[in-house]
Amino acid sequence: MTKLTKKLFAWDFHGTLEQGTEVGFAEILKNLAREINYPVNIDLEEVRKLYGVSVLDYLKHFFPKLSNDDLINLRKKIRTSQNRKYITEFIEPAPYAHEVLKKLKLAGHQNIVVSTSSQKHIKKFLRTIKMIKFFDEIFGIDRHSLDIDFNIAKEKAKAIASFAKKHNFSKEKIIVIGDRPGDIDAGFLIGARTYQYINPDFSSVVTKAHFKITSLRQILKEI
């Protein structure tokens, strides 16, 4: 019997394993605009074009006339449970996400998720879409609470590399999957194999990924 070559699958979350977060976030922005009586059209396609920027950058884009202090206060409101419910209302697993994660785990491989949401929120999102059981480790790098320059690729690479070292995965056995340049560049920084998931709801994003896929099922060729 051929011995299993164990692999590490490092997943981005938003836009890769889930869909619908941006719809809920658009609703949050609309409610904020109504609440402060700010005249702005929150267009879903525009929200999608900006997907991946920090919450503060979103607010700067849609509420350009507000002061920085006002924007910080709006960001605090976004984090309330009342607003977060919009995310959980609209978020769903990406097509075939459960199937793929389950098959990888049953085959003896390991899955980790590396997100720029906070640890608390990424776990909540994973529980909402019943996905948390498929992961051996969850990394929440809270980019949205930071008002400093943030290098997504370096931070994600650091998290993946730390897990890989702890569990003795060589770079040849690491697969990184994401939908944005920061995800793919993280993979390149550690010498991993990279897959860019092309989400049909979003405009095409250019990356240097080794492979570009339109279905998460295409990852199963790695088993």
Side-chain angles (χ1 to χ4, degrees):
M1 182 180 292
T2 303
K3 185 178 179 181
L4 169 72
T5 301
K6 195 173 181 180
K7 295 179 182 179
L8 170 61
F9 293 83
W11 297 85
D12 170 51
F13 181 68
H14 290 295
T16 302
L17 288 172
E18 65 78 35
Q19 60 187 18
T21 292
E22 79 285 1
V23 181
F25 190 65
E27 291 302 311
I28 292 173
L29 293 174
K30 290 175 185 177
N31 284 337
L32 289 177
R34 284 193 291 266
E35 188 177 325
I36 64 174
N37 198 28
Y38 191 98
V40 60
N41 176 41
I42 307 295
D43 179 71
L44 179 57
E45 291 309 309
E46 194 169 0
V47 172
R48 283 174 169 159
K49 285 178 183 177
L50 293 168
Y51 206 56
V53 305
S54 69
V55 170
L56 194 58
D57 285 336
Y58 260 116
L59 294 173
K60 287 177 180 177
H61 177 83
F62 285 108
F63 303 91
K65 294 180 181 179
L66 296 185
S67 68
N68 196 61
D69 286 343
D70 287 337
L71 294 173
I72 296 295
N73 286 330
L74 281 186
R75 186 175 65 180
K76 289 178 182 177
K77 289 185 178 183
I78 286 176
R79 292 179 179 152
T80 64
S81 58
Q82 182 179 0
N83 277 318
R84 288 288 181 180
K85 71 180 177 63
Y86 286 103
I87 303 297
T88 55
E89 180 181 343
F90 287 97
I91 192 172
E92 295 178 339
Y96 311 117
H98 279 166
E99 174 191 333
V100 171
L101 291 168
K102 182 179 180 179
K103 285 184 176 180
L104 292 176
K105 197 165 181 65
L106 287 175
H109 303 294
Q110 288 190 281
N111 293 305
I112 63 173
V113 63
V114 186
S115 172
T116 51
S117 290
S118 70
Q119 189 83 354
K120 175 183 176 182
H121 287 127
I122 190 61
K123 285 186 174 180
K124 182 177 181 180
F125 294 150
L126 287 167
R127 289 190 190 99
T128 299
I129 58 175
K130 297 179 173 55
M131 202 176 277
I132 200 166
K133 61 187 176 183
F134 299 120
F135 292 99
D136 298 281
E137 190 78 52
I138 297 162
F139 293 93
I141 308 164
D142 194 1
R143 174 196 184 177
H144 302 295
S145 67
L146 301 175
D147 300 322
I148 58 175
D149 289 337
F150 184 91
N151 189 308
I152 292 175
K154 285 184 179 179
E155 293 299 324
K156 287 198 167 192
K158 191 188 304 181
I160 298 167
S162 68
F163 185 91
K165 182 178 181 180
K166 182 178 178 181
H167 296 273
N168 299 313
F169 285 103
S170 64
K171 64 182 181 181
E172 294 82 10
K173 305 306 177 190
I174 305 173
I175 295 92
V176 175
I177 310 101
D179 66 321
R180 300 277 152 170
D183 310 317
I184 303 307
D185 291 345
F188 275 98
L189 284 174
I190 58 176
R193 196 150 56 256
T194 57
Y195 284 79
Q196 180 189 0
Y197 174 58
I198 309 297
N199 189 317
D201 290 332
F202 292 85
S203 301
S204 179
V205 177
V206 177
T207 76
K208 298 177 182 178
H210 294 103
F211 305 100
K212 300 194 176 186
I213 59 175
T214 54
S215 169
L216 294 181
R217 279 177 167 171
Q218 291 171 270
I219 296 295
L220 295 176
K221 72 178 186 179
E222 290 286 349
I223 294 180

